[in-house]
Amino acid sequence: MNKIYTSTRNKNIKCSPKEAILKGIAEDGGLYVYDGLDQLQLPLADMMNMSYTQMAETVLSLLLPDFSEEEVKQCVQDAYENRFDSKDITPLHVVNDTPILELFHGPTCAFKDVGLRMLPQLMSKAITSLNQQDVMILTATSGDTGKAALEGFKDVKHTAITVFYPNDGVSNIQRLQMVTTTGANTKVCAIHGNFDDAQTNVKKIFQNQELKNHLAKHNIVLSSANSINIGRLIPQVVYYIFAYKEMVQQKQIAFGEEINFCVPTGNYGNVLAGYYAKCMGLPVKRFLVASNENNVLCDFLKDGIYDCRRPFYKTISPSMDILISSNLERLLYYKSGKDDGYIQKLMNELEIKGSYKVSEEIKKSIQDDFYGGYCTDEECKETIRKVYMEKGYVLDPHTAVGYKVMEEYHKQDDTPCVLLSTASPYKFTTAVMEAIFNETYTNDFDCMDALAKKTNTNVPKSLSMLKEANILHHDVIHKENMIEYVENGVKEMFHD
Ligand SMILES: *Cc1c(COP(=O)(O)O)cnc(C)c1O
């Protein structure tokens, strides 16, 4: 029943939405996609009068039809009610003619909350209705995902979560956000090593058959909170429609008129959610894909060649420091006319050679919907300064990358464009204070206070609270001991 999701690399692998959410990734390494996506139609006119949560219910019901109406309602309520510091969840502010959709009003002050508040709710329902398994979530993080996943899964029934982060590889604020997490089902552990060490070892744990067999005896499975899970992607479709509604209500456009969206991009998850909304009937002309100096996507969108054999830069927009954008695979699937064999071939080439080239026809079709631009750290800082001076609005570095690309693109197309703001400037205060006021701080909290004072804005409570919060997670281990750590975590958290 309801086997409507298939692997991008093999259409014979089929599963229901609930199974796809529980598994995260298909057994052949492909990503789960809704084959009939282009046949779905949003009730757009009706949606113009809906609240964010009503919209979320509508979108989830369409894309996850094996969830009952009651289940969807409860998931939406548990994910969003009283969890965001804006009643709109993702408010749209028109700042001197520039519409900015603020996606950072959730518990961790970055857009990942929108997906990661919802994924655990969906997973919990899937567990109950499939076979009562318990799920242990394993995540390696370089910063933002870890905390958003911890907040999302904390105290969710039938789940527990273990997050590994590189001891010297995250910012002080990011570390504090993670190690102060409460909840009886959360574990946070630093490892001696870098992010790749953490990531590689988490992948090894997922492949360890002995551990999986042992866990299976206790009816426990491993899963991940990675952005390739459809349960993280689908909730993000909602805010594109919400932004459109706000554009109409705030008299920026007439109903039915096309708009553009500019999206600061790393793994292609966020912008792909927008494309889903377009496939389902949202009037969007184009998506502007904004990258930092790791501009592999920008090159791809120009010449159709994806080539990640290039230097990796650490930038002031670290959440976009990515060379392999996993979710692009889903776009290629749809744009190739759902040719699973072709996707399999491209992904093999990427793994073996580090690059692939798409056909001229596919390239053109992608370019109809997407434009790629990028921005250097210098330009990013200049943009943060300029926008503050001209408009009194404080951008975080990721959003500033988007702003710069949007401004550049505007010269060739004056379609109204909504800029997605992916993080609160208070999450990256040091870079922001330096950009606007040329001041450097050694203490993050002093820096936050200074930004608040000078710009007459408020430090988000969840960040200012960190100064006083108790440190609850102290573990630091060698990477060789990660598997043992997970085994002990399972015993501890599921009481087996
Ligand atoms: C994760 C992240 C991004 C990139 O989003 P993708 O879905 O990976 O493209 C951009 N900005 C911020 C602040 C993020 O945390």
Side-chain angles (χ1 to χ4, degrees), residues 110-112 144 227 236 264-271 319-320 322 396 398 422-423 428:
F111 94 95
K112 291 189 172 61
D144 286 347
S227 81
Q236 296 177 188
T265 302
N267 221 349
Y268 223 81
N270 197 355
V271 70
S319 303
M320 290 153 58
I322 284 178
D396 102 284
H398 303 78
T422 52
F428 301 92

mmCIF file with all atom_site columns, all heavy atoms in Angstrom, residues 110-112 144 227 236 264-271 319-320 322 396 398 422-423 428, ligand 1:
data_model
loop_
_atom_site.group_PDB
_atom_site.id
_atom_site.type_symbol
_atom_site.label_atom_id
_atom_site.label_alt_id
_atom_site.label_comp_id
_atom_site.label_asym_id
_atom_site.label_entity_id
_atom_site.label_seq_id
_atom_site.pdbx_PDB_ins_code
_atom_site.Cartn_x
_atom_site.Cartn_y
_atom_site.Cartn_z
_atom_site.occupancy
_atom_site.B_iso_or_equiv
_atom_site.pdbx_formal_charge
_atom_site.auth_seq_id
_atom_site.auth_comp_id
_atom_site.auth_asym_id
_atom_site.auth_atom_id
_atom_site.pdbx_PDB_model_num
ATOM   1   N N   . ALA A 1 110 ? 18.536 28.949 13.453 1.00 0.00 ? 110 ALA A N   1
ATOM   2   C CA  . ALA A 1 110 ? 18.894 28.741 12.043 1.00 0.00 ? 110 ALA A CA  1
ATOM   3   C C   . ALA A 1 110 ? 17.738 27.999 11.358 1.00 0.00 ? 110 ALA A C   1
ATOM   4   O O   . ALA A 1 110 ? 16.892 27.402 12.018 1.00 0.00 ? 110 ALA A O   1
ATOM   5   C CB  . ALA A 1 110 ? 20.183 27.943 11.902 1.00 0.00 ? 110 ALA A CB  1
ATOM   6   N N   . PHE A 1 111 ? 17.729 28.037 10.012 1.00 0.00 ? 111 PHE A N   1
ATOM   7   C CA  . PHE A 1 111 ? 16.559 27.524 9.291  1.00 0.00 ? 111 PHE A CA  1
ATOM   8   C C   . PHE A 1 111 ? 16.380 26.023 9.453  1.00 0.00 ? 111 PHE A C   1
ATOM   9   O O   . PHE A 1 111 ? 15.293 25.499 9.227  1.00 0.00 ? 111 PHE A O   1
ATOM   10  C CB  . PHE A 1 111 ? 16.644 27.902 7.800  1.00 0.00 ? 111 PHE A CB  1
ATOM   11  C CG  . PHE A 1 111 ? 17.255 26.852 6.925  1.00 0.00 ? 111 PHE A CG  1
ATOM   12  C CD1 . PHE A 1 111 ? 16.458 25.953 6.249  1.00 0.00 ? 111 PHE A CD1 1
ATOM   13  C CD2 . PHE A 1 111 ? 18.624 26.752 6.790  1.00 0.00 ? 111 PHE A CD2 1
ATOM   14  C CE1 . PHE A 1 111 ? 17.005 24.974 5.440  1.00 0.00 ? 111 PHE A CE1 1
ATOM   15  C CE2 . PHE A 1 111 ? 19.189 25.776 5.992  1.00 0.00 ? 111 PHE A CE2 1
ATOM   16  C CZ  . PHE A 1 111 ? 18.379 24.879 5.312  1.00 0.00 ? 111 PHE A CZ  1
ATOM   17  N N   . LYS A 1 112 ? 17.430 25.317 9.869  1.00 0.00 ? 112 LYS A N   1
ATOM   18  C CA  . LYS A 1 112 ? 17.316 23.862 9.980  1.00 0.00 ? 112 LYS A CA  1
ATOM   19  C C   . LYS A 1 112 ? 16.241 23.441 10.996 1.00 0.00 ? 112 LYS A C   1
ATOM   20  O O   . LYS A 1 112 ? 15.755 22.324 10.945 1.00 0.00 ? 112 LYS A O   1
ATOM   21  C CB  . LYS A 1 112 ? 18.665 23.259 10.327 1.00 0.00 ? 112 LYS A CB  1
ATOM   22  C CG  . LYS A 1 112 ? 19.636 23.394 9.154  1.00 0.00 ? 112 LYS A CG  1
ATOM   23  C CD  . LYS A 1 112 ? 20.907 22.624 9.353  1.00 0.00 ? 112 LYS A CD  1
ATOM   24  C CE  . LYS A 1 112 ? 21.753 22.617 8.092  1.00 0.00 ? 112 LYS A CE  1
ATOM   25  N NZ  . LYS A 1 112 ? 22.158 23.975 7.657  1.00 0.00 ? 112 LYS A NZ  1
ATOM   26  N N   . ASP A 1 144 ? 25.665 23.491 12.926 1.00 0.00 ? 144 ASP A N   1
ATOM   27  C CA  . ASP A 1 144 ? 24.237 23.806 13.030 1.00 0.00 ? 144 ASP A CA  1
ATOM   28  C C   . ASP A 1 144 ? 23.309 22.600 13.132 1.00 0.00 ? 144 ASP A C   1
ATOM   29  O O   . ASP A 1 144 ? 22.344 22.607 13.892 1.00 0.00 ? 144 ASP A O   1
ATOM   30  C CB  . ASP A 1 144 ? 23.793 24.640 11.821 1.00 0.00 ? 144 ASP A CB  1
ATOM   31  C CG  . ASP A 1 144 ? 24.288 26.066 11.904 1.00 0.00 ? 144 ASP A CG  1
ATOM   32  O OD1 . ASP A 1 144 ? 24.753 26.461 12.994 1.00 0.00 ? 144 ASP A OD1 1
ATOM   33  O OD2 . ASP A 1 144 ? 24.209 26.779 10.888 1.00 0.00 ? 144 ASP A OD2 1
ATOM   34  N N   . SER A 1 227 ? 20.101 15.742 5.934  1.00 0.00 ? 227 SER A N   1
ATOM   35  C CA  . SER A 1 227 ? 19.124 16.514 5.152  1.00 0.00 ? 227 SER A CA  1
ATOM   36  C C   . SER A 1 227 ? 18.606 15.772 3.924  1.00 0.00 ? 227 SER A C   1
ATOM   37  O O   . SER A 1 227 ? 17.781 16.294 3.179  1.00 0.00 ? 227 SER A O   1
ATOM   38  C CB  . SER A 1 227 ? 19.716 17.858 4.733  1.00 0.00 ? 227 SER A CB  1
ATOM   39  O OG  . SER A 1 227 ? 20.537 17.710 3.605  1.00 0.00 ? 227 SER A OG  1
ATOM   40  N N   . GLN A 1 236 ? 9.967  21.929 4.574  1.00 0.00 ? 236 GLN A N   1
ATOM   41  C CA  . GLN A 1 236 ? 10.529 23.170 4.041  1.00 0.00 ? 236 GLN A CA  1
ATOM   42  C C   . GLN A 1 236 ? 9.766  23.697 2.820  1.00 0.00 ? 236 GLN A C   1
ATOM   43  O O   . GLN A 1 236 ? 9.926  24.845 2.435  1.00 0.00 ? 236 GLN A O   1
ATOM   44  C CB  . GLN A 1 236 ? 12.005 22.974 3.689  1.00 0.00 ? 236 GLN A CB  1
ATOM   45  C CG  . GLN A 1 236 ? 12.840 22.668 4.906  1.00 0.00 ? 236 GLN A CG  1
ATOM   46  C CD  . GLN A 1 236 ? 14.305 22.399 4.607  1.00 0.00 ? 236 GLN A CD  1
ATOM   47  O OE1 . GLN A 1 236 ? 15.032 21.999 5.484  1.00 0.00 ? 236 GLN A OE1 1
ATOM   48  N NE2 . GLN A 1 236 ? 14.747 22.592 3.394  1.00 0.00 ? 236 GLN A NE2 1
ATOM   49  N N   . PRO A 1 264 ? 20.367 31.013 -0.061 1.00 0.00 ? 264 PRO A N   1
ATOM   50  C CA  . PRO A 1 264 ? 21.745 30.668 0.307  1.00 0.00 ? 264 PRO A CA  1
ATOM   51  C C   . PRO A 1 264 ? 21.857 29.140 0.404  1.00 0.00 ? 264 PRO A C   1
ATOM   52  O O   . PRO A 1 264 ? 21.107 28.524 1.159  1.00 0.00 ? 264 PRO A O   1
ATOM   53  C CB  . PRO A 1 264 ? 21.937 31.306 1.687  1.00 0.00 ? 264 PRO A CB  1
ATOM   54  C CG  . PRO A 1 264 ? 20.850 32.329 1.799  1.00 0.00 ? 264 PRO A CG  1
ATOM   55  C CD  . PRO A 1 264 ? 19.704 31.804 1.000  1.00 0.00 ? 264 PRO A CD  1
ATOM   56  N N   . THR A 1 265 ? 22.751 28.546 -0.362 1.00 0.00 ? 265 THR A N   1
ATOM   57  C CA  . THR A 1 265 ? 22.680 27.101 -0.580 1.00 0.00 ? 265 THR A CA  1
ATOM   58  C C   . THR A 1 265 ? 23.971 26.356 -0.238 1.00 0.00 ? 265 THR A C   1
ATOM   59  O O   . THR A 1 265 ? 25.064 26.849 -0.480 1.00 0.00 ? 265 THR A O   1
ATOM   60  C CB  . THR A 1 265 ? 22.323 26.831 -2.059 1.00 0.00 ? 265 THR A CB  1
ATOM   61  O OG1 . THR A 1 265 ? 21.086 27.477 -2.344 1.00 0.00 ? 265 THR A OG1 1
ATOM   62  C CG2 . THR A 1 265 ? 22.170 25.347 -2.328 1.00 0.00 ? 265 THR A CG2 1
ATOM   63  N N   . GLY A 1 266 ? 23.800 25.144 0.325  1.00 0.00 ? 266 GLY A N   1
ATOM   64  C CA  . GLY A 1 266 ? 24.926 24.258 0.585  1.00 0.00 ? 266 GLY A CA  1
ATOM   65  C C   . GLY A 1 266 ? 24.637 22.888 0.009  1.00 0.00 ? 266 GLY A C   1
ATOM   66  O O   . GLY A 1 266 ? 25.120 22.499 -1.043 1.00 0.00 ? 266 GLY A O   1
ATOM   67  N N   . ASN A 1 267 ? 23.765 22.152 0.694  1.00 0.00 ? 267 ASN A N   1
ATOM   68  C CA  . ASN A 1 267 ? 23.441 20.789 0.315  1.00 0.00 ? 267 ASN A CA  1
ATOM   69  C C   . ASN A 1 267 ? 22.265 20.701 -0.678 1.00 0.00 ? 267 ASN A C   1
ATOM   70  O O   . ASN A 1 267 ? 21.823 19.625 -1.022 1.00 0.00 ? 267 ASN A O   1
ATOM   71  C CB  . ASN A 1 267 ? 23.102 20.004 1.582  1.00 0.00 ? 267 ASN A CB  1
ATOM   72  C CG  . ASN A 1 267 ? 23.695 18.621 1.556  1.00 0.00 ? 267 ASN A CG  1
ATOM   73  O OD1 . ASN A 1 267 ? 24.184 18.161 0.523  1.00 0.00 ? 267 ASN A OD1 1
ATOM   74  N ND2 . ASN A 1 267 ? 23.648 17.942 2.672  1.00 0.00 ? 267 ASN A ND2 1
ATOM   75  N N   . TYR A 1 268 ? 21.751 21.829 -1.091 1.00 0.00 ? 268 TYR A N   1
ATOM   76  C CA  . TYR A 1 268 ? 20.652 21.931 -2.056 1.00 0.00 ? 268 TYR A CA  1
ATOM   77  C C   . TYR A 1 268 ? 19.301 21.499 -1.490 1.00 0.00 ? 268 TYR A C   1
ATOM   78  O O   . TYR A 1 268 ? 18.324 21.366 -2.224 1.00 0.00 ? 268 TYR A O   1
ATOM   79  C CB  . TYR A 1 268 ? 20.948 21.113 -3.339 1.00 0.00 ? 268 TYR A CB  1
ATOM   80  C CG  . TYR A 1 268 ? 20.576 21.827 -4.625 1.00 0.00 ? 268 TYR A CG  1
ATOM   81  C CD1 . TYR A 1 268 ? 21.420 22.778 -5.175 1.00 0.00 ? 268 TYR A CD1 1
ATOM   82  C CD2 . TYR A 1 268 ? 19.378 21.565 -5.275 1.00 0.00 ? 268 TYR A CD2 1
ATOM   83  C CE1 . TYR A 1 268 ? 21.088 23.447 -6.353 1.00 0.00 ? 268 TYR A CE1 1
ATOM   84  C CE2 . TYR A 1 268 ? 19.037 22.227 -6.455 1.00 0.00 ? 268 TYR A CE2 1
ATOM   85  C CZ  . TYR A 1 268 ? 19.887 23.153 -6.987 1.00 0.00 ? 268 TYR A CZ  1
ATOM   86  O OH  . TYR A 1 268 ? 19.559 23.808 -8.142 1.00 0.00 ? 268 TYR A OH  1
ATOM   87  N N   . GLY A 1 269 ? 19.208 21.301 -0.167 1.00 0.00 ? 269 GLY A N   1
ATOM   88  C CA  . GLY A 1 269 ? 17.953 20.863 0.422  1.00 0.00 ? 269 GLY A CA  1
ATOM   89  C C   . GLY A 1 269 ? 16.919 21.974 0.407  1.00 0.00 ? 269 GLY A C   1
ATOM   90  O O   . GLY A 1 269 ? 15.792 21.798 -0.075 1.00 0.00 ? 269 GLY A O   1
ATOM   91  N N   . ASN A 1 270 ? 17.319 23.118 0.912  1.00 0.00 ? 270 ASN A N   1
ATOM   92  C CA  . ASN A 1 270 ? 16.416 24.253 1.014  1.00 0.00 ? 270 ASN A CA  1
ATOM   93  C C   . ASN A 1 270 ? 15.843 24.643 -0.350 1.00 0.00 ? 270 ASN A C   1
ATOM   94  O O   . ASN A 1 270 ? 14.625 24.708 -0.530 1.00 0.00 ? 270 ASN A O   1
ATOM   95  C CB  . ASN A 1 270 ? 17.204 25.413 1.643  1.00 0.00 ? 270 ASN A CB  1
ATOM   96  C CG  . ASN A 1 270 ? 16.297 26.506 2.169  1.00 0.00 ? 270 ASN A CG  1
ATOM   97  O OD1 . ASN A 1 270 ? 15.092 26.458 1.996  1.00 0.00 ? 270 ASN A OD1 1
ATOM   98  N ND2 . ASN A 1 270 ? 16.895 27.500 2.799  1.00 0.00 ? 270 ASN A ND2 1
ATOM   99  N N   . VAL A 1 271 ? 16.701 24.875 -1.313 1.00 0.00 ? 271 VAL A N   1
ATOM   100 C CA  . VAL A 1 271 ? 16.224 25.346 -2.621 1.00 0.00 ? 271 VAL A CA  1
ATOM   101 C C   . VAL A 1 271 ? 15.414 24.262 -3.339 1.00 0.00 ? 271 VAL A C   1
ATOM   102 O O   . VAL A 1 271 ? 14.451 24.556 -4.063 1.00 0.00 ? 271 VAL A O   1
ATOM   103 C CB  . VAL A 1 271 ? 17.400 25.884 -3.489 1.00 0.00 ? 271 VAL A CB  1
ATOM   104 C CG1 . VAL A 1 271 ? 18.327 24.780 -3.946 1.00 0.00 ? 271 VAL A CG1 1
ATOM   105 C CG2 . VAL A 1 271 ? 16.877 26.674 -4.681 1.00 0.00 ? 271 VAL A CG2 1
ATOM   106 N N   . SER A 1 319 ? 28.145 27.158 7.142  1.00 0.00 ? 319 SER A N   1
ATOM   107 C CA  . SER A 1 319 ? 27.128 26.142 6.884  1.00 0.00 ? 319 SER A CA  1
ATOM   108 C C   . SER A 1 319 ? 26.931 25.904 5.385  1.00 0.00 ? 319 SER A C   1
ATOM   109 O O   . SER A 1 319 ? 26.172 25.023 4.983  1.00 0.00 ? 319 SER A O   1
ATOM   110 C CB  . SER A 1 319 ? 25.796 26.544 7.522  1.00 0.00 ? 319 SER A CB  1
ATOM   111 O OG  . SER A 1 319 ? 25.985 26.750 8.894  1.00 0.00 ? 319 SER A OG  1
ATOM   112 N N   . MET A 1 320 ? 27.587 26.700 4.579  1.00 0.00 ? 320 MET A N   1
ATOM   113 C CA  . MET A 1 320 ? 27.531 26.499 3.126  1.00 0.00 ? 320 MET A CA  1
ATOM   114 C C   . MET A 1 320 ? 28.879 26.052 2.577  1.00 0.00 ? 320 MET A C   1
ATOM   115 O O   . MET A 1 320 ? 29.088 26.050 1.366  1.00 0.00 ? 320 MET A O   1
ATOM   116 C CB  . MET A 1 320 ? 27.085 27.793 2.437  1.00 0.00 ? 320 MET A CB  1
ATOM   117 C CG  . MET A 1 320 ? 25.623 28.107 2.719  1.00 0.00 ? 320 MET A CG  1
ATOM   118 S SD  . MET A 1 320 ? 25.236 29.852 2.642  1.00 0.00 ? 320 MET A SD  1
ATOM   119 C CE  . MET A 1 320 ? 25.740 30.236 0.992  1.00 0.00 ? 320 MET A CE  1
ATOM   120 N N   . ILE A 1 322 ? 30.431 23.443 1.437  1.00 0.00 ? 322 ILE A N   1
ATOM   121 C CA  . ILE A 1 322 ? 30.070 22.091 1.017  1.00 0.00 ? 322 ILE A CA  1
ATOM   122 C C   . ILE A 1 322 ? 30.477 21.916 -0.445 1.00 0.00 ? 322 ILE A C   1
ATOM   123 O O   . ILE A 1 322 ? 30.265 22.815 -1.262 1.00 0.00 ? 322 ILE A O   1
ATOM   124 C CB  . ILE A 1 322 ? 28.541 21.885 1.168  1.00 0.00 ? 322 ILE A CB  1
ATOM   125 C CG1 . ILE A 1 322 ? 28.199 21.678 2.646  1.00 0.00 ? 322 ILE A CG1 1
ATOM   126 C CG2 . ILE A 1 322 ? 28.037 20.707 0.344  1.00 0.00 ? 322 ILE A CG2 1
ATOM   127 C CD1 . ILE A 1 322 ? 26.732 21.506 2.933  1.00 0.00 ? 322 ILE A CD1 1
ATOM   128 N N   . ASP A 1 396 ? 22.884 38.021 8.553  1.00 0.00 ? 396 ASP A N   1
ATOM   129 C CA  . ASP A 1 396 ? 23.934 37.076 8.940  1.00 0.00 ? 396 ASP A CA  1
ATOM   130 C C   . ASP A 1 396 ? 24.758 36.796 7.679  1.00 0.00 ? 396 ASP A C   1
ATOM   131 O O   . ASP A 1 396 ? 24.315 37.110 6.567  1.00 0.00 ? 396 ASP A O   1
ATOM   132 C CB  . ASP A 1 396 ? 23.306 35.796 9.516  1.00 0.00 ? 396 ASP A CB  1
ATOM   133 C CG  . ASP A 1 396 ? 23.306 34.670 8.504  1.00 0.00 ? 396 ASP A CG  1
ATOM   134 O OD1 . ASP A 1 396 ? 22.465 34.710 7.589  1.00 0.00 ? 396 ASP A OD1 1
ATOM   135 O OD2 . ASP A 1 396 ? 24.164 33.776 8.599  1.00 0.00 ? 396 ASP A OD2 1
ATOM   136 N N   . HIS A 1 398 ? 25.411 34.137 5.900  1.00 0.00 ? 398 HIS A N   1
ATOM   137 C CA  . HIS A 1 398 ? 24.795 33.277 4.877  1.00 0.00 ? 398 HIS A CA  1
ATOM   138 C C   . HIS A 1 398 ? 23.771 34.060 4.066  1.00 0.00 ? 398 HIS A C   1
ATOM   139 O O   . HIS A 1 398 ? 23.713 33.978 2.845  1.00 0.00 ? 398 HIS A O   1
ATOM   140 C CB  . HIS A 1 398 ? 24.138 32.058 5.535  1.00 0.00 ? 398 HIS A CB  1
ATOM   141 C CG  . HIS A 1 398 ? 25.082 31.243 6.360  1.00 0.00 ? 398 HIS A CG  1
ATOM   142 N ND1 . HIS A 1 398 ? 25.466 31.636 7.618  1.00 0.00 ? 398 HIS A ND1 1
ATOM   143 C CD2 . HIS A 1 398 ? 25.737 30.097 6.099  1.00 0.00 ? 398 HIS A CD2 1
ATOM   144 C CE1 . HIS A 1 398 ? 26.329 30.754 8.102  1.00 0.00 ? 398 HIS A CE1 1
ATOM   145 N NE2 . HIS A 1 398 ? 26.502 29.808 7.195  1.00 0.00 ? 398 HIS A NE2 1
ATOM   146 N N   . THR A 1 422 ? 18.660 32.522 6.320  1.00 0.00 ? 422 THR A N   1
ATOM   147 C CA  . THR A 1 422 ? 18.795 31.184 6.894  1.00 0.00 ? 422 THR A CA  1
ATOM   148 C C   . THR A 1 422 ? 19.320 31.153 8.324  1.00 0.00 ? 422 THR A C   1
ATOM   149 O O   . THR A 1 422 ? 19.287 30.112 8.961  1.00 0.00 ? 422 THR A O   1
ATOM   150 C CB  . THR A 1 422 ? 19.691 30.299 6.008  1.00 0.00 ? 422 THR A CB  1
ATOM   151 O OG1 . THR A 1 422 ? 20.918 30.992 5.757  1.00 0.00 ? 422 THR A OG1 1
ATOM   152 C CG2 . THR A 1 422 ? 19.014 29.993 4.693  1.00 0.00 ? 422 THR A CG2 1
ATOM   153 N N   . ALA A 1 423 ? 19.836 32.276 8.826  1.00 0.00 ? 423 ALA A N   1
ATOM   154 C CA  . ALA A 1 423 ? 20.313 32.258 10.222 1.00 0.00 ? 423 ALA A CA  1
ATOM   155 C C   . ALA A 1 423 ? 20.170 33.630 10.848 1.00 0.00 ? 423 ALA A C   1
ATOM   156 O O   . ALA A 1 423 ? 20.188 34.652 10.162 1.00 0.00 ? 423 ALA A O   1
ATOM   157 C CB  . ALA A 1 423 ? 21.765 31.796 10.292 1.00 0.00 ? 423 ALA A CB  1
ATOM   158 N N   . PHE A 1 428 ? 26.263 34.272 14.324 1.00 0.00 ? 428 PHE A N   1
ATOM   159 C CA  . PHE A 1 428 ? 27.585 34.507 13.727 1.00 0.00 ? 428 PHE A CA  1
ATOM   160 C C   . PHE A 1 428 ? 28.046 35.922 14.056 1.00 0.00 ? 428 PHE A C   1
ATOM   161 O O   . PHE A 1 428 ? 28.526 36.659 13.194 1.00 0.00 ? 428 PHE A O   1
ATOM   162 C CB  . PHE A 1 428 ? 27.520 34.251 12.213 1.00 0.00 ? 428 PHE A CB  1
ATOM   163 C CG  . PHE A 1 428 ? 27.082 32.855 11.882 1.00 0.00 ? 428 PHE A CG  1
ATOM   164 C CD1 . PHE A 1 428 ? 25.731 32.562 11.665 1.00 0.00 ? 428 PHE A CD1 1
ATOM   165 C CD2 . PHE A 1 428 ? 27.989 31.806 11.850 1.00 0.00 ? 428 PHE A CD2 1
ATOM   166 C CE1 . PHE A 1 428 ? 25.309 31.261 11.403 1.00 0.00 ? 428 PHE A CE1 1
ATOM   167 C CE2 . PHE A 1 428 ? 27.582 30.502 11.597 1.00 0.00 ? 428 PHE A CE2 1
ATOM   168 C CZ  . PHE A 1 428 ? 26.238 30.228 11.373 1.00 0.00 ? 428 PHE A CZ  1
HETATM 169 C C1  . LIG B 2 .   ? 22.470 24.405 6.369  1.00 0.00 ? 1   LIG B C1  1
HETATM 170 C C2  . LIG B 2 .   ? 22.500 25.878 6.109  1.00 0.00 ? 1   LIG B C2  1
HETATM 171 C C3  . LIG B 2 .   ? 22.489 26.401 4.787  1.00 0.00 ? 1   LIG B C3  1
HETATM 172 C C4  . LIG B 2 .   ? 22.485 25.507 3.566  1.00 0.00 ? 1   LIG B C4  1
HETATM 173 O O1  . LIG B 2 .   ? 21.257 24.880 3.363  1.00 0.00 ? 1   LIG B O1  1
HETATM 174 P P1  . LIG B 2 .   ? 21.101 23.642 2.369  1.00 0.00 ? 1   LIG B P1  1
HETATM 175 O O2  . LIG B 2 .   ? 19.747 23.106 2.585  1.00 0.00 ? 1   LIG B O2  1
HETATM 176 O O3  . LIG B 2 .   ? 22.182 22.673 2.799  1.00 0.00 ? 1   LIG B O3  1
HETATM 177 O O4  . LIG B 2 .   ? 21.331 24.140 0.996  1.00 0.00 ? 1   LIG B O4  1
HETATM 178 C C5  . LIG B 2 .   ? 22.475 27.782 4.629  1.00 0.00 ? 1   LIG B C5  1
HETATM 179 N N1  . LIG B 2 .   ? 22.510 28.611 5.702  1.00 0.00 ? 1   LIG B N1  1
HETATM 180 C C6  . LIG B 2 .   ? 22.538 28.153 6.969  1.00 0.00 ? 1   LIG B C6  1
HETATM 181 C C7  . LIG B 2 .   ? 22.600 29.121 8.091  1.00 0.00 ? 1   LIG B C7  1
HETATM 182 C C8  . LIG B 2 .   ? 22.521 26.772 7.223  1.00 0.00 ? 1   LIG B C8  1
HETATM 183 O O5  . LIG B 2 .   ? 22.554 26.315 8.496  1.00 0.00 ? 1   LIG B O5  1
#
